[in-house]
Amino acid sequence: MILLNRNFFHQVAMVFRRLMPFVLVFNLACGQTNPKAVKLFKDGQDLMNKKKTYQAVKSFESAIALDPGYRDAYLELYQFYFNQGNMIKAMETLQRATHAVTIGKPSILFSLGQLELNHGMYAQASVHFTDYLALNTKDTLTRLKARSYLAKTTFSLANLQDSSSIQFAPLNASINTPAPEYLPSLDAAGTTLVFTRRTNNQEDLMISRWNAGIWSPPLSWPKNSPKNEGAHVISADGKTIVFTGCDWEDSYGGCDLYISEFIRDKWSNPRNIGTAINSRSWESQPSLSANGRILFFVSDRPGGSGGYDIWKSNKLLSGWSKPVNAGPGINTSGDEFSPCLHADGVTLYFRSEGKPGFGSQDLFFSQKTNKGTWAEAVNLGFPLNDHRDQGAMVVALDGYTAFYTLQLINQFNQIITSDLVTFQLPAKARANACRYIKGA
């Protein structure tokens, strides 16, 4: 398996928060449990510690047969199946527990509902979140999450039929390899594609050119280093790259934004974009306006709506302005990622887990109002969005050709596959078509 590195710290934190309810705490209450069942349970734990998993599962099942309400035996079985990636058996185990267990039932209902939501079982998840909320537990934070998840199931069930026909076309084999490829960015002419490839836990930027109707075999960006060059954007004119560097010697926080410019036929040495943008917090995932004078990025700095927010800064004669939050049309108390400002300057695509959607990270778009604020974002719809985490996306000048990260991530946030594909956006989600005029 390929583990995520610091450039994916935001994803690790996000998924860890989602998995927390699944790692249930075992508080043994042996006083009211059949003594023979308790012995079988302890035998099962010993066998599990000795990696004798088949015998351990039999021991836990025997404990349940003697005491059908034995919560901790269900939870040990559930955790085993979850760790093995056997989500069907994990859900079946919790389902059995909901019918038999009385003490500790709220946590089982919540975890089962969340597991079902993460696998697109919206109707079942809705029932279990509703049942959890009906118990009126005193856990305010978990109740708040349950309401949010219930809203997602309601949204999903109401919008599954409002779907578009989307066909993903993978980019050629010189771009998509067995290694993970992700985070595409495109110049205005649509002839330069930059993306991140990770090999041996090392992230590098790769550049491919559109030539004779096909993307050329990508070349490593000349300024790649032994460090990681991660989330990035190439400017409309193809002469500036802003990217993420984590734990660099001159960084102000864990991850900062760096800039390099193409001058006299070569890329300049990357430099930290400066304290106007970078802080002691996490900054990453940049997006530039077509004229290069507006920078969107993601940060968990203080003053946001909660979690990771999208921020904006303007380029002035004296440098970059103090970043401002993109506002409530875009940001939520959850996490927002991967901003992509289209060349029309009024359409912003991004990912959010805080807005009603089909799963954890859905793709949304928002358009700027006449007042200069961002309108309430619109979900891009099914099947582009589903119960899985959606990847980063960039949209070409025509307003509908999109390049997208199609990824599969397991329950431990390890990348199984990650490739770049292209597709056409549904009509409701398209930006305004633009033209690119290259100066002399």
Side-chain angles (χ1 to χ4, degrees), residues 18-19 22 113-121 360 387-388:
R18 294 206 306 275
L19 294 182
F22 295 147
Q114 196 174 21
L115 196 59
E116 289 165 338
L117 175 61
N118 286 353
H119 286 78
M121 302 168 65
S360 176
H387 60 277
R388 292 175 284 264

Side-chain angles (χ1 to χ4, degrees), residues 296-311:
F296 285 85
F297 63 96
V298 176
S299 178
D300 61 347
R301 61 181 58 205
S305 300
Y308 295 89
D309 277 7
I310 294 173
W311 297 76

Side-chain angles (χ1 to χ4, degrees), residues 37-56:
V38 173
K39 183 180 185 307
L40 286 166
F41 174 78
K42 291 181 177 179
D43 288 344
Q45 287 185 312
D46 290 339
L47 289 165
M48 195 66 74
N49 290 333
K50 294 175 182 177
K51 310 298 182 184
K52 297 180 179 180
T53 57
Y54 176 75
Q55 296 96 318

Side-chain angles (χ1 to χ4, degrees), residues 235-237 240 259 288-295 313-315 320:
S235 61
D237 62 7
T240 300
I259 188 169
L288 285 168
S289 62
N291 61 9
R293 305 197 66 81
I294 302 174
L295 173 69
S313 176
N314 295 319
K315 192 172 186 179
W320 292 100

Side-chain angles (χ1 to χ4, degrees), residues 413-430:
N413 203 31
Q414 297 167 321
I415 292 179
I416 299 174
T417 60
S418 183
D419 288 326
L420 299 181
V421 300
T422 185
F423 69 96
Q424 292 190 358
L425 284 169
K428 72 170 186 178
R430 294 180 178 182

Side-chain angles (χ1 to χ4, degrees), residues 7 9 41 50 64 74 134 140 145 150 154 159 187 189 193 211 216 261 268 270 273 280 334 349 354 386 388 398 439:
N7 278 337
F9 173 79
F41 174 78
K50 294 175 182 177
I64 291 171
Y74 288 109
T140 305
K145 289 181 179 178
L150 183 59
T154 302
N159 290 278
D187 69 349
L193 175 69
N211 185 21
S216 66
E261 296 166 313
S268 65
I273 205 168
R280 296 182 66 180
Y349 298 93
D386 60 17
R388 292 175 284 264
D398 60 17

Side-chain angles (χ1 to χ4, degrees), residues 113-154:
Q114 196 174 21
L115 196 59
E116 289 165 338
L117 175 61
N118 286 353
H119 286 78
M121 302 168 65
Y122 301 119
Q124 298 92 322
S126 178
V127 169
H128 292 121
F129 287 130
T130 301
D131 289 347
Y132 167 81
L133 290 168
L135 294 176
N136 292 314
T137 66
K138 296 181 180 180
D139 187 343
T140 305
L141 180 59
T142 305
R143 286 181 61 80
L144 186 65
K145 289 181 179 178
R147 290 192 187 97
S148 173
Y149 295 149
L150 183 59
K152 286 181 180 289
T153 66
T154 302

